Amino acid sequence: MTNNVIIVGAGIIGAACARALAVAGVEVTVIDRGTVAGGTSAACEGNLLISDKGPGHELVLAQYASTLWKHTVAELAEQLGDTFPSVEYDPKGGLVVATTVTGAGPLLSFAAGQRGAGVDAWTIDADEARRLEPDLGPAVEAAVYYPEDAQVQPTIATEALMASARLHGARVLENTPVLGPIHDSAGALVGVRIPSGELRAGRVLVAAGPWSGQVANLLGVYLPVRPRRGELLVTTRMRHRIFHKVYDADYVGAVGSDDGALQTSSVVESTASGTVLIGSSRQQVGFDSSLRVDALSEIAAKAIRLFPFLADVAVMRSYGGFRPFMPDHLPVIGEDPRMPGLWHATGHEGAGIGLSLATAVLIRDLMLGIIPPIDASPYSASRASLAPHLVDVA
């Protein structure tokens, strides 16, 4: 086992992996062309969701991740002290609402399948839904409550994980792009070239979110990570009127869709600061960061259908970000069989915040030669579902 690792990417996946490896005694250097939490991790809602995942490998990863967050948050608070901002961990639970008769059946069927996979999913009637959320609108045809859903403030959570990694010896080099690979005589990856020279290590872990495909290309392999754009609205502060993460049943279909065209659904929740976050959209537009007025208009209209009072609330700002989309809807976690020394932790799309801690455990254990607590093979770059996509046809 080589006891040093370069991590490319200082978002929450890179930060979580850095912390897990550094705590285990591995010498870690994190590099990023920008800053810690400067990309996708600062442009999302901080979801820690079980509710949007059907039975399968992503759900297994999410269920394991859910067991890690509470004690990790406590550890971070103890390590970093009172002067470090709270990560705002909130196990608020989620409420999924079907606002149409046609949407009710699929929602209830989806929840039944989840219960078979061990998800805590309570089917409730409209009156019970309104007891949980008194300001819900009249269009409630079916509802499912998910007590396991939670939220964190994603930027602070990323910063906290990286600060903890630093306390355990990790080094972080911001504003440091990868320029190319360093290979040994056998073709194994043994480092990367950066503007200041060469940086060498026994392993290089690519955790660059939607930019992971670009980094992999620079290092000599093709990885089919594509950016998927998402937009959010943020209201001005108000008294607390939304108590859970509330979204319409269309959200689940949008998450699992391969369609590159604009898809929107309503996801509404309060933050600790008193604002309300309103999402969400999904659209494949490359790395075009232009303002998407059509997406924002659709998001707002659907949110008002869930919570009519929002029609009279001012929007303070909007923002968008890119999520790392994989064609088989699973992240890549582990060593790349095509190039010894190259590892990946990417492709989580909109679930990266929630899945970060579990991903870090898998990466740590696989690198240390320990059997992970869950089977890591479904997330391998050599999995059968990914094989058709590993040939660059561009």
Side-chain angles (χ1 to χ4, degrees):
M1 193 267 303
T2 303
N3 205 39
N4 57 348
V5 176
I6 297 166
I7 299 176
V8 183
I12 199 164
I13 300 295
C17 291
R19 179 178 186 265
L21 290 166
V23 168
V26 177
E27 180 183 327
V28 176
T29 301
V30 181
I31 63 174
D32 195 290
R33 68 178 184 180
T35 59
V36 174
T40 297
S41 298
C44 60
E45 296 162 289
N47 292 335
L48 313 180
L49 295 187
I50 300 294
S51 56
D52 63 340
K53 297 168 182 65
H57 300 306
E58 188 184 28
L59 176 60
V60 171
L61 194 63
Q63 289 171 310
Y64 176 57
S66 181
T67 69
L68 301 176
W69 270 101
K70 186 174 182 179
H71 73 78
T72 300
V73 168
E75 288 175 356
L76 291 171
E78 182 178 353
Q79 290 170 5
L80 302 177
D82 295 339
T83 59
F84 201 95
S86 168
V87 303
E88 300 177 12
Y89 173 69
D90 185 359
K92 63 175 69 175
L95 180 65
V96 185
V97 177
T99 59
T100 64
V101 173
T102 55
L107 170 60
L108 298 178
S109 177
F110 184 77
Q114 290 177 303
R115 283 192 288 272
V119 175
D120 203 359
W122 307 355
T123 298
I124 60 177
D125 62 23
D127 289 339
E128 290 173 303
R130 289 194 180 89
R131 278 194 288 272
L132 292 173
E133 293 291 344
D135 282 311
L136 269 178
V140 178
E141 296 294 337
V144 181
Y145 174 60
Y146 292 88
E148 297 170 294
D149 281 358
Q151 182 184 20
V152 292
Q153 208 294 335
T155 304
I156 299 173
T158 303
E159 294 275 10
L161 290 166
M162 195 67 85
S164 177
R166 284 187 171 110
L167 287 177
H168 288 90
R171 180 170 61 140
V172 181
L173 304 178
E174 297 180 309
N175 303 307
T176 303
V178 173
L179 302 180
I182 303 171
H183 294 112
D184 66 12
S185 58
L189 186 64
V190 294
V192 296
R193 290 186 291 105
I194 59 177
S196 61
E198 294 186 347
L199 194 60
R200 292 178 176 265
R203 295 183 176 94
V204 176
L205 173 65
V206 177
W211 298 275
S212 294
Q214 295 178 350
V215 176
N217 261 348
L218 280 171
L219 299 178
V221 300
Y222 174 71
L223 194 69
V225 181
R226 301 199 304 271
R228 206 177 190 190
R229 179 78 178 173
E231 310 286 344
L232 293 164
L233 294 167
V234 185
T235 72
T236 52
R237 293 179 180 179
M238 67 182 78
R239 68 177 176 86
H240 203 171
R241 297 181 66 174
I242 299 171
F243 304 98
H244 305 82
K245 179 179 287 290
V246 185
Y247 61 89
D248 69 50
D250 292 343
Y251 180 78
V252 173
V255 168
S257 173
D258 293 320
D259 194 341
L262 174 63
Q263 300 174 74
T264 60
S265 54
S266 184
V267 184
V268 186
E269 63 191 312
S270 297
T271 70
S273 67
T275 62
V276 173
L277 296 181
I278 301 173
S280 69
S281 68
R282 280 172 165 76
Q283 190 174 17
Q284 292 186 19
V285 292
F287 285 104
D288 182 356
S289 59
S290 303
L291 180 67
R292 308 278 166 184
V293 176
D294 55 342
L296 296 173
S297 297
E298 286 190 23
I299 289 168
K302 291 183 176 182
I304 291 168
R305 183 172 174 82
L306 274 181
F307 291 101
F309 81 88
L310 289 173
D312 299 319
V313 173
V315 170
M316 178 170 63
R317 65 186 178 97
S318 68
Y319 65 94
F322 301 104
R323 288 78 170 104
F325 174 83
M326 290 294 290
D328 65 349
H329 300 285
L330 280 176
V332 181
I333 304 170
E335 188 169 16
D336 194 312
R338 301 166 295 177
M339 183 179 290
L342 175 61
W343 290 63
H344 302 289
T346 188
H348 301 77
E349 204 187 328
I353 304 298
L355 300 181
S356 59
L357 300 184
T359 297
V361 170
L362 295 189
I363 287 291
R364 178 199 66 197
D365 289 354
L366 290 170
M367 286 191 175
L368 297 180
I370 299 169
I371 297 174
I374 62 172
D375 182 11
S377 63
Y379 319 105
S380 166
S382 60
R383 62 184 184 253
S385 61
L386 192 57
H389 306 283
L390 288 181
V391 178
D392 186 358
V393 296

